[in-house]
Amino acid sequence: MSRLFGTDGVRGLANELLTAELALKLSQAAAVVLGHEKVETEGRPKAVVARDPRASGEFLSAAVEAGLASSGVDVFDAGVLPTPALAYLIADLDADFGVMISASHNPAPDNGIKFFARGGRKLPDEVEDAIQAQLEREPERPTGAGVGRIQRFADAEDRYILHLVSSLPHRLEGLKIVLDCAHGAASGCSPQAFSLAGADVVVIGADPDGYNINDGVGSTHLDKLKQAVIESGAHFGIAHDGDADRCLAVDHAGEEVDGDQIMAILALALKGDGRLKDNVLVATVMSNLGLKLALRDSGIDILETAVGDRYVLEKMVEGGYSLGGEQSGHVIFSDYATTGDGLLTGLQLAAQVARTGKPLAELAAQMTKLPQLMINVKGVDKQRAGSDEELRAAVARAEQELGESGRVLLRPSGTEPLVRVMVEAGDMGTAERIAKELAGVVESRLAL
């Protein structure tokens, strides 16, 4: 069997790739692998299950909960909640593991299953592999008092919201903020959290019907948020994705503030408070060079990881670092969360606007984004991208030309037969010219 788990759980078209049968078997396998530490004297393992509002999440969550309970796991059904809420609640409840049913920013027909270990942490590859291997074996089948029970986690949302608000260094009175909830998992708790923190809230994209998640709204579609901010005269806007583990923003003029700019604002604020561990920010290789330059001038180092918030988190745990994230808006505060949390990020960003009294646009201007262009070169042998001598020489020439004012990144896709060519430069014309030249070399040297 090929590997089921991708970079963020098992994901695919619901009822085609991701069926109720697969969800049942995955949860039975996870019950064995993730609940194995329990012994009879300690009682049954506990798991928290949550989902985003997709229609398919209803039957998938039912299958997951059936698989867990039939394997001797007590299930706490948290209903529709953001992914970071699930991660927090696993730790807060001292559960053995958790299951999130969501396909994040994907369209409504897709869905996914993500497992979290004790403490609300994402699983390493070897544990995911163990769950997949367990699919080939017989599940646990306890009887009588050994079967698990399913109960509603009635105060799950309240616990999470109170946790978010308690993290704030400054309240939000005086701020008018537009929230775009992507018709997703944040539709209930994000407006409540921002209102409880004192903000005057305007809400869009908060009417999920099971089919409209991420449809023209949310962090991957910012036009409606930009319009709403300008029309309402708001100070700025916050956009979540379907499962609310990411956050992007727009300023009062409707200009986008991406994850790199958000991380710059928050890293500088934490350093000023003496709360940025070792004055380090963890970011992926895709972060804009402008982020590194801005933070270097302020005495902050960037540790780079591969693309994916799980790799950011691994590096943060390894060094005990305070802050990390991705350009896409996955931001992790290790003091308050074990995964990217779009609500927490938005609240912390708003708190800096309120505390400094400066517009978001001014705070974002602490970092100057370098022009960045990416070209996806398809139909090539991505395995040879790092070994072809002529390609390496072409990259070296481009890097020499750019110097410290730009950079080149060639990255094989993790899921497709293509190579991504990314170039940053002092101006877009230079970035475009060099990117096209390198894409041509990739195409000619690595053609299938």
Side-chain angles (χ1 to χ4, degrees):
M1 181 188 296
S2 60
R3 196 171 195 273
L4 278 175
F5 289 87
T7 56
D8 204 16
V10 179
R11 189 179 297 184
L13 184 60
N15 227 21
E16 183 176 279
L17 185 149
L18 191 57
T19 62
E21 293 85 353
L22 178 58
L24 178 78
K25 292 178 180 178
L26 276 170
S27 58
Q28 288 174 323
V32 174
V33 174
L34 300 176
H36 74 281
E37 294 181 359
K38 287 286 186 181
V39 296
E40 285 187 20
T41 55
E42 294 179 314
R44 292 185 294 264
K46 294 188 296 187
V48 184
V49 177
R51 64 181 180 88
D52 71 24
R54 294 165 210 265
S56 60
E58 296 169 2
F59 73 77
L60 289 172
S61 63
V64 165
E65 292 178 5
L68 294 176
S70 70
S71 300
V73 177
D74 285 336
V75 178
F76 291 77
D77 182 352
V80 174
L81 276 181
T83 293
L86 172 79
Y88 168 73
L89 291 166
I90 294 168
D92 194 49
L93 190 65
D94 194 27
D96 296 277
F97 63 99
V99 189
M100 183 69 195
I101 297 148
S102 173
S104 189
H105 58 280
N106 284 27
D110 291 341
N111 218 322
I113 297 177
K114 293 185 276 192
F115 294 99
F116 288 80
R118 177 180 287 278
R121 299 194 180 279
K122 290 190 174 182
L123 305 185
D125 289 345
E126 58 268 23
V127 177
E128 291 180 338
D129 291 341
I131 292 174
Q132 182 164 340
Q134 180 63 32
L135 290 174
E136 305 298 321
R137 308 184 184 106
E138 279 295 309
E140 298 287 338
R141 298 188 189 278
T143 58
V147 300
R149 305 297 299 273
I150 301 173
Q151 61 181 289
R152 180 79 174 98
F153 196 163
D155 63 341
E157 186 173 280
D158 291 339
R159 287 197 196 195
Y160 175 58
I161 290 171
L162 290 174
H163 160 68
L164 292 173
V165 176
S166 69
S167 75
L168 287 178
H170 197 286
R171 288 189 56 80
L172 309 184
E173 277 83 6
L175 291 182
K176 186 174 186 179
I177 304 171
V178 180
L179 300 176
D180 183 347
C181 300
H183 296 311
S187 297
C189 51
S190 186
Q192 291 184 57
F194 277 85
S195 296
L196 189 60
D200 176 10
V201 175
V202 177
V203 183
I204 65 173
D207 297 301
D209 62 10
Y211 306 101
N212 60 357
I213 190 169
N214 302 315
D215 186 8
V217 290
S219 60
T220 53
H221 305 279
L222 293 175
D223 287 347
K224 290 183 180 178
L225 178 61
K226 293 175 181 179
Q227 181 181 352
V229 167
I230 293 171
E231 290 179 352
S232 66
H235 290 90
F236 58 93
I238 295 292
H240 303 304
D241 62 335
D243 71 336
D245 64 352
R246 67 173 69 182
C247 164
L248 294 180
V250 299
D251 65 22
H252 68 283
E255 294 296 319
E256 180 179 341
V257 179
D258 69 11
D260 285 341
Q261 292 167 297
I262 290 171
M263 286 192 290
I265 294 168
L266 297 174
L268 291 167
L270 288 175
K271 182 177 186 290
D273 292 342
R275 296 193 295 129
L276 187 65
K277 172 74 183 309
D278 294 341
N279 291 330
V280 164
L281 171 71
V282 181
T284 77
V285 293
M286 291 303 295
S287 278
N288 193 279
L289 179 60
L291 175 63
K292 180 180 290 188
L293 297 176
L295 296 187
R296 183 184 65 186
D297 292 343
S298 299
I300 299 173
D301 294 323
I302 290 184
L303 291 183
E304 290 186 342
T305 75
V307 175
D309 63 331
R310 63 187 297 176
Y311 303 113
V312 172
L313 181 59
E314 286 174 5
K315 182 66 71 174
M316 291 178 68
V317 170
E318 180 183 309
Y321 300 118
S322 314
L323 185 68
E326 297 186 282
Q327 189 180 69
S328 61
H330 287 109
V331 178
I332 304 169
F333 293 82
S334 62
D335 289 344
Y336 308 113
T338 58
T339 188
D341 189 330
L343 281 73
L344 178 64
T345 302
L347 286 163
Q348 293 288 335
L349 182 65
Q352 295 310 317
V353 174
R355 184 167 75 166
T356 62
K358 296 179 180 179
L360 178 58
E362 184 176 341
L363 293 178
Q366 295 174 107
M367 170 193 157
T368 300
K369 292 171 62 176
L370 293 184
Q372 185 182 83
L373 182 69
M374 181 180 294
I375 298 175
N376 291 328
V377 186
K378 301 180 180 180
V380 295
D381 181 0
K382 63 184 180 182
Q383 305 300 330
R384 294 192 289 118
S387 60
D388 186 87
E389 290 298 330
E390 286 195 26
L391 179 56
R392 290 167 65 178
V395 170
R397 289 193 298 272
E399 290 176 334
Q400 184 175 16
E401 177 182 346
L402 291 168
E404 291 192 358
S405 66
R407 65 175 180 138
V408 173
L409 178 65
L410 262 64
R411 187 170 71 90
S413 168
T415 57
E416 302 173 81
L418 61 82
V419 172
R420 306 187 197 282
V421 178
M422 191 272 285
V423 176
E424 290 172 342
D427 63 89
M428 183 54 78
T430 301
E432 185 174 1
R433 174 178 58 80
I434 293 177
K436 287 182 177 179
E437 290 173 358
L438 288 176
V441 177
V442 170
E443 190 171 28
S444 64
R445 296 295 302 172
L446 307 184
L448 290 173

